[in-house]
Amino acid sequence: MANVKKRVRENVPGDFFVDSTCIDCDACRQIAPAVFGEAVETSYIKAQPTSSAGRRQALRALLACPTGSIGCLGDDDVKAVMQDFPLLIEEPVYYCGYNSPKSFGGNSYFIRYPAGNWLVDSPKFVTPLLRRLEAFGGVAHIFLTHRDDVADAERYAEHFAARRIIHRDELWSQPGAEVVLDGAGPWELAPGFVAIATPGHTRGHCVLHYQDRFLFTGDHLDWDRDEQRLAASEDYCWYSWPGQAESMARLASHRFEWVLPGHGQRVKLPAQEMHEQIERLARSMQEG
């Protein structure tokens, strides 16, 4: 629970506030960008929501916050908002919410699929989300992009008898994983699902390409809201920046419209524009 006595000074007055336990994971700014802003090391309330829709977005951010750093002094029905997750992005893909502190607030995604639903990376293991996933038919597969974002994957796998999929170079983070990817890939995991090795951020990092529309990018690639372009972070590259640049260049041979990151802003662009952005980013990374 957020502590009103620890409110960060940047908050504007009103019902909603962010306290000093915020880890600046960016989840709230993705969910309710009109309400939350970025201070030096935390998020803050830059504008109190004035409509019922705005309050609902802010409450979604409150529920998604991995550290419970967002508070609300109003009498809103938070339990009703719990039913919003997983939150539809574009059929058949949903954002899970309930970001986990174990993955530093990383996003996770749910894919409805007739032959068995998928999780991409793991949210918190919490009852409201668990019940909603059960209502959607459960989870058959859990694709883990890399070691940083496994969070509660083991608990979800046990609960749903789901198969966890991870690269061997990340296996130490999920030693009981049921499917282990070896080598350089790519790997067709099911019709429409292709895992692509993208070493760089970590040695065994992989992305998941689905239906030539969606690319689940883990910590390899995201959208820079300020610069309005695709981006990668050398500051948060734990294995090899030149390797990540090579991995980025390989993505140019794949068609997709959505970039859905573990950390960072998601974006949808026309496929040709996405292709051009990927090529531009890969060149800039390689040129250093």
Side-chain angles (χ1 to χ4, degrees), residues 95-247:
Y95 160 60
C96 290
Y98 297 101
N99 296 32
S100 173
K102 297 175 184 177
S103 59
F104 202 82
N107 299 318
S108 59
Y109 303 93
F110 176 72
I111 307 169
R112 298 186 73 176
Y113 187 67
N117 298 325
W118 290 63
L119 273 183
V120 180
D121 291 327
S122 173
K124 281 182 189 173
F125 190 82
V126 292
T127 299
L129 181 60
L130 200 65
R131 297 294 173 254
R132 293 287 292 156
L133 296 181
E134 288 170 348
F136 278 128
V139 175
H141 313 278
I142 304 173
F143 182 83
L144 299 170
T145 58
H146 68 299
R147 68 193 188 210
D148 298 340
D149 292 353
V150 300
D152 289 329
E154 183 175 1
R155 296 186 69 184
Y156 278 102
E158 290 176 353
H159 183 85
F160 288 112
R163 302 186 317 154
R164 288 163 292 168
I165 304 164
I166 197 167
H167 194 277
R168 184 169 298 282
D169 288 331
E170 309 291 300
L171 185 59
W172 62 268
S173 66
Q174 286 287 285
E178 291 74 19
V179 179
V180 180
L181 306 177
D182 274 303
W187 306 267
E188 184 174 6
L189 304 176
F193 291 85
V194 177
I196 303 166
T198 49
H201 173 73
T202 61
R203 183 171 182 172
H205 193 289
C206 293
V207 300
L208 182 65
H209 185 233
Y210 178 54
Q211 287 187 340
D212 288 338
R213 291 168 55 206
F214 304 97
L215 189 71
F216 300 89
T217 62
D219 290 350
H220 177 69
L221 172 68
D222 69 350
W223 179 253
D224 187 316
R225 288 190 296 262
D226 296 327
E227 299 292 333
Q228 290 290 289
R229 59 177 174 80
L230 293 178
S233 174
E234 187 171 6
D235 290 340
Y236 294 97
C237 180
W238 311 134
Y239 175 62
S240 169
W241 185 244
Q244 192 165 343
E246 292 178 9
S247 298

Side-chain angles (χ1 to χ4, degrees), residues 212 254-257 269-277:
D212 288 338
H254 298 273
R255 177 185 174 88
F256 51 94
E257 299 171 359
L269 300 172
Q272 182 58 34
E273 182 179 349
M274 188 71 81
H275 174 79
E276 292 168 0
Q277 288 250 5

Side-chain angles (χ1 to χ4, degrees), residues 56-104:
R56 195 171 192 99
Q57 282 189 319
L59 290 169
R60 288 171 180 167
L62 183 155
L63 290 170
C65 178
T67 49
S69 302
I70 300 170
C72 179
L73 303 176
D75 58 358
D76 305 78
D77 185 0
V78 178
K79 288 186 177 179
V81 181
M82 290 177 180
Q83 300 303 306
D84 291 356
F85 294 114
L87 187 66
L88 179 65
I89 295 173
E90 182 176 296
E91 285 289 359
V93 173
Y94 296 71
Y95 160 60
C96 290
Y98 297 101
N99 296 32
S100 173
K102 297 175 184 177
S103 59
F104 202 82

